[in-house]
Amino acid sequence: QVQLVESGGGWVQAGGSLRLSCAASEGTLSRYRMGWFRQAPGKERRFVASITRSGGTTNYADSVKGRFTISRDNAENTVYLQMNSLKPEDTAVYYCAAVGYDVTRSYDYWGQGTQVTVSS
């Protein structure tokens, strides 16, 4: 079991940067594969990036590749999403998620989300 709390969202001008953090309020984050997702108003939640437990392998949606970087600091029980060259279409609520240990290996644990707004 793990409980996740996102932070670091806010307002930024197009071309700017933000770093989101996902910390475990309880549980050990290093036990989990982690991911970031986002949901824009009126749209479905979409995958953004993922990272393995050790941080050795990362994956990105094509829309953010080259601009966003997912990383983790297991000693701090924290996962990060560095977002550079932000565009208005990046505006969304961003969610941190952890992969569970059931047979489906799906994202079973979710944070409350943090709002990112990118203005032109």
Side-chain angles (χ1 to χ4, degrees):
Q1 285 280 346
V2 63
Q3 294 186 356
L4 308 174
V5 180
E6 302 97 333
S7 62
W11 177 92
V12 66
Q13 195 169 352
S17 298
L18 286 173
R19 189 179 75 162
L20 306 183
S21 298
C22 174
S25 60
E26 70 174 54
T28 304
L29 208 59
S30 63
R31 298 182 63 239
Y32 300 91
R33 289 174 173 255
M34 301 295 299
W36 286 96
F37 294 76
R38 66 187 182 185
Q39 186 168 23
K43 296 187 176 181
E44 295 181 338
R45 189 173 299 184
R46 301 288 299 274
F47 169 81
V48 175
S50 65
I51 189 167
T52 53
R53 289 186 293 177
S54 68
T57 302
T58 58
N59 192 25
Y60 299 91
D62 288 342
S63 59
V64 306
K65 192 172 297 183
R67 299 188 298 121
F68 290 11
T69 302
I70 188 172
S71 62
R72 68 192 305 161
D73 185 343
N74 285 337
E76 296 293 331
N77 289 324
T78 303
V79 175
Y80 303 97
L81 185 68
Q82 178 67 46
M83 305 186 295
N84 299 326
S85 301
L86 283 162
K87 306 174 181 179
E89 50 263 46
D90 295 319
T91 295
V93 177
Y94 283 72
Y95 297 89
C96 179
V99 175
Y101 276 83
D102 62 32
V103 67
T104 67
R105 293 295 188 266
S106 60
Y107 288 96
D108 290 336
Y109 307 101
W110 297 82
Q112 84 289 347
T114 185
Q115 177 70 48
V116 172
T117 302
V118 184
S119 63
S120 300

